[in-house]
Amino acid sequence: MTSRLAAAVIAIIAWVGLAIQLRASYGLTGSLTQSLWVMVRYFTVITNLILALIFTGIALGNRRCESGPVVGGVTLAIILVGVIYGLLLQGSIELSGGAAVADLLLHKVTPILGVGYWAWFQRKGQLRPIHPWIWTLLPLAYFPYALLRGAIEGRYAYPFMDVDRIGWPATLLNGTLIACGFLIAGFAMFWIDRRLATGKRWG
């Protein structure tokens, strides 16, 4: 399988997951605009949307989308989606029908495929020490956005940032820990990238 074909498969899966989630949300709200607004409350949806756009660009031969920092950043973000879901969110809400399918595609399938693409197809040696810091801007931007939306709407996207339930100290601590974990994972990706680029052994 070529890299462009692999990217196309990943993009299609992400778009399908987003479409199914939109249909499930529309079934609850009855409004397309409101459904879209509800969906972009979640980091999972935002990240999968970015992934779908980037991998669509790769499939179409867009060189900017193929660059190491771009693919590395979206890969790290989708890893965060999968890890946070697995550690903190899985099983917290009982889902069925389309919502369950979207949950599977957006929380499990795209993270696994995204990592697989980066490991197998992405050209290594393009990352620099500055890139993990740049990548961290995405969750750092999302955090105040999600808190502001939660305060206005009275509903927070995730329980670990529910200020009304757990308070500000715990919310800020959770956000700090996630940001630090994201940054550490970014430097780990940079290190792996350098090792693979130079052909060094792991030992």
Side-chain angles (χ1 to χ4, degrees):
M1 179 181 289
T2 66
S3 60
R4 291 178 64 176
L5 179 57
V9 171
I10 295 171
I12 290 171
I13 290 173
W15 285 121
V16 168
L18 291 168
I20 294 173
Q21 182 60 61
L22 177 60
R23 181 177 181 180
S25 297
Y26 183 81
L28 295 175
T29 66
S31 166
L32 179 60
T33 302
Q34 187 176 353
S35 297
L36 291 170
W37 178 241
V38 169
M39 285 179 62
V40 295
R41 174 189 292 134
Y42 300 100
F43 187 80
T44 294
V45 171
I46 294 172
T47 302
N48 272 280
L49 178 59
I50 296 173
L51 181 143
L53 291 170
I54 294 300
F55 278 83
T56 297
I58 295 173
L60 296 175
N62 187 306
R63 292 191 176 275
R64 291 184 178 181
C65 293
E66 295 173 352
S67 75
V70 172
V71 177
V74 73
T75 301
L76 188 62
I78 203 66
I79 288 173
L80 179 63
V81 168
V83 170
I84 293 297
Y85 176 79
L87 293 178
L88 302 176
L89 301 174
Q90 188 170 13
S92 59
I93 300 177
E94 186 175 347
L95 301 172
S96 61
V101 175
D103 177 74
L104 173 65
L105 295 179
L106 301 179
H107 283 120
K108 298 179 180 179
V109 177
T110 55
I112 293 172
L113 294 181
V115 173
Y117 180 92
W118 182 83
W120 188 260
F121 293 106
Q122 184 60 37
R123 183 165 65 88
K124 306 302 186 297
Q126 301 181 59
L127 302 184
R128 301 294 178 265
I130 189 62
H131 291 132
W133 296 99
I134 296 174
W135 297 335
T136 307
L137 294 177
L138 177 60
L140 287 180
Y142 172 78
F143 192 67
Y145 158 75
L147 291 179
L148 180 60
R149 278 199 61 166
I152 294 173
E153 299 174 346
R155 179 180 179 182
Y156 292 87
Y158 300 105
F160 52 83
M161 60 171 57
D162 189 338
V163 177
D164 294 337
R165 187 173 64 86
I166 66 176
W168 277 106
T171 299
L172 295 177
L173 176 60
N174 290 338
T176 301
L177 291 175
I178 290 173
C180 290
F182 191 83
L183 185 61
I184 292 171
F187 277 105
M189 176 176 283
F190 166 73
W191 180 80
I192 293 171
D193 174 84
R194 302 297 287 183
R195 300 281 290 192
L196 293 178
T198 57
K200 292 181 179 178
R201 295 179 180 272
W202 298 107

